[in-house]
Amino acid sequence: MSADQHGFDTLAIHAGQEPDPRTGAVVPPIYQTSTYAQDAVGSPRLGYEYSRSGNPTRDALQECLAALEGGRRGLAFASGLAAEDTLLRAVCRPGDHVVIPGDAYGGTFRLFAKVAETWGLDWTAVPLDDLDAVRAAFRPGHTRLIWAETPTNPLLNIADIPALAGLAHEYDAMLVVDNTFASPYLQQPIALGADVVVHSTTKYLGGHSDVIGGALVAADDGLGDELTFYQNAMGAVGGPFDAWLTMRGIKTLGVRMDRHCDNAERIAQYLLSHRAVAEVLYPGLESHPGHETAAKQMSRFGGMVSFRLAGGAEQAIDVCNRTKLFILAESLGGVESLIEHPGQMTHLSAAGSALEVPSDLVRLSVGIETLEDLLADLDQALGAS
Ligand SMILES: *Cc1c(COP(=O)(O)O)cnc(C)c1O
């Protein structure tokens, strides 16, 4: 099923998921097997030999991911970070350099600063919305990647994907876009010039807070082959049940994202008018510095809203402790609303570094519950503060 012939929601439900040819099962079976009977030495049926190398349930998910991102190859991993690590090993060598966002996701930052650096990969963190700073950070001949995240976690900054792609390609480097926050329903980086898309499928793609997973989608076959080799050679694949859960989530991605966006837009407006709130970070607001760029490359602005409290860190922590419907928890992108304090929770690994997040910041993953209930919960949590 090709992306030229079908709309997004059709692909989400059908790509890679034709009814099972043997039984007619409408939903792809969970092939919970490590190995496959071979007809003769060197003749595996349908090419399947061992489930690290290939598994039909994972293949179905991979085909769906490639279709949704408009890429040539989709690859599924055990987590978003496993996908990131595999990508770095495949495209970077000791002595290489990468440009990363000045406010990268904490786990991504830790992978660069604490893991990749020990095997000789150098990095520079710059605000990616400052193209002059990105250009100045380039080390021609050594910089292999611009690693972009847009919107960023948790500050919701926006990077201009076509502009960064142009810059990367000018220096024979690649543009990687972590598309976790937008999901392919709202933003398709490959069509905008990116070479690879990264996902934590744990978030909006899975969508139900019940599975950890990651993905890479390559824009071309050459890179797709290379990444496929590293996926098998490094072995960080997800299991068949994880792939099945992720596919089940993806089928409703479009309808979920629309509701996430509806609720987040209204909550951002509500927060904007609350006296306890010093600043609202949501790319859908015209006051957001990345609003125009976001409006060009995203169809809507997503379900993540961050805000800063006039009363500082103590008040931010109080609000997180007081909500009842918004569950105090890490992660994001599920149907249920979550609240967290990035400084003490998801982004603690960036504490003391240039990537430290403000201590008065609260991050919401706005779910798809009844809007009035969400507003009432925020109102009691903020009102008491
Ligand atoms: C969660 C997240 C990751 C890491 O994914 P895991 O599935 O937790 O390994 C990477 N990037 C972003 C933007 C994330 O939110």
Side-chain angles (χ1 to χ4, degrees):
M1 186 160 302
S2 103
D4 329 325
Q5 292 161 357
H6 294 282
F8 187 90
D9 293 311
T10 307
L11 293 170
I13 294 165
H14 294 288
Q17 303 167 72
E18 264 82 68
D20 181 51
R22 199 167 69 86
T23 62
V26 166
V27 172
I30 302 167
Y31 284 90
Q32 193 70 41
T33 186
S34 61
T35 190
Y36 307 83
Q38 305 198 12
D39 293 329
V41 173
S43 305
R45 288 177 211 166
L46 303 172
Y48 291 110
E49 299 165 344
Y50 185 58
S51 278
R52 168 162 42 70
S53 318
N55 175 281
T57 317
R58 192 172 82 229
D59 279 354
L61 169 62
Q62 295 188 151
E63 203 178 306
C64 185
L65 289 165
L68 294 186
E69 286 289 357
R72 296 291 302 171
R73 188 79 51 86
L75 295 167
F77 293 87
S79 69
L81 285 174
E84 295 184 17
D85 186 32
T86 305
L87 173 61
L88 288 182
R89 307 276 187 146
V91 301
C92 297
R93 295 292 172 268
D96 282 349
H97 171 255
V98 298
V99 176
I100 66 170
D103 60 339
Y105 164 68
T108 299
F109 172 67
R110 182 176 52 201
L111 179 66
F112 282 102
K114 300 276 166 68
V115 181
E117 200 178 289
T118 65
W119 52 265
L121 185 68
D122 208 356
W123 53 274
T124 309
V126 297
L128 296 187
D129 53 2
D130 180 349
L131 290 175
D132 294 333
V134 176
R135 191 180 284 278
F138 251 87
R139 299 185 197 159
H142 293 282
T143 303
R144 296 283 299 133
L145 298 175
I146 299 178
W147 187 286
E149 225 184 281
T150 184
T152 55
N153 181 0
L155 295 174
L156 284 309
N157 283 320
I158 301 295
D160 184 328
I161 297 173
L164 289 176
L167 197 60
H169 297 156
E170 203 183 303
Y171 292 98
D172 271 338
M174 281 198 265
L175 175 65
V176 178
V177 176
D178 182 333
N179 202 26
T180 299
F181 265 38
S183 90
Y185 182 67
L186 301 179
Q187 171 174 279
Q188 298 184 322
I190 288 174
L192 298 167
D195 300 283
V196 198
V197 169
V198 174
H199 276 285
S200 170
T201 57
T202 312
K203 315 293 169 54
Y204 286 106
L205 287 165
H208 296 75
S209 306
D210 53 10
V211 61
I212 298 281
L216 298 175
V217 179
D220 70 67
D221 288 320
L223 181 62
D225 289 345
E226 190 85 347
L227 295 175
T228 302
F229 170 83
Y230 275 85
Q231 182 195 40
N232 180 45
M234 291 177 65
V237 294
F241 185 53
D242 291 0
W244 184 90
L245 277 172
T246 305
M247 265 188 289
R248 179 185 164 115
I250 285 174
K251 287 178 194 289
T252 56
L253 179 64
V255 289
R256 283 187 287 108
M257 285 313 295
D258 276 332
R259 178 66 77 86
H260 283 297
C261 292
D262 289 345
N263 283 353
E265 284 163 14
R266 294 285 300 277
I267 285 172
Q269 288 296 344
Y270 161 81
L271 291 170
L272 208 52
S273 64
H274 200 289
R275 61 178 168 76
V277 175
E279 190 184 0
V280 183
L281 310 176
Y282 185 65
L285 297 174
E286 274 172 33
S287 56
H288 188 285
H291 176 70
E292 257 179 60
T293 307
K296 268 190 250 163
Q297 64 193 20
M298 302 175 78
S299 56
R300 296 186 72 182
F301 305 100
M304 299 299 297
V305 180
S306 294
F307 60 101
R308 301 179 70 171
L309 276 303
E314 204 181 320
Q315 193 183 20
I317 290 169
D318 275 356
V319 169
C320 292
N321 285 333
R322 273 202 203 105
T323 55
K324 298 192 170 77
L325 198 50
F326 278 85
I327 300 168
L328 178 62
E330 302 197 354
S331 200
L332 60 107
V335 290
E336 59 289 288
S337 293
L338 305 179
I339 190 167
E340 68 123 0
H341 185 263
Q344 297 277 321
M345 294 171 66
T346 47
H347 291 67
L348 192 56
S349 60
S353 78
L355 280 77
E356 185 169 321
V357 295
S359 61
D360 58 5
L361 188 75
V362 168
R363 188 189 78 181
L364 302 178
S365 173
V366 177
I368 65 171
E369 299 96 333
T370 306
L371 176 67
E372 289 68 26
D373 295 335
L374 297 177
L375 289 170
D377 190 33
L378 289 174
D379 214 40
Q380 65 79 22
L382 282 164
S385 63

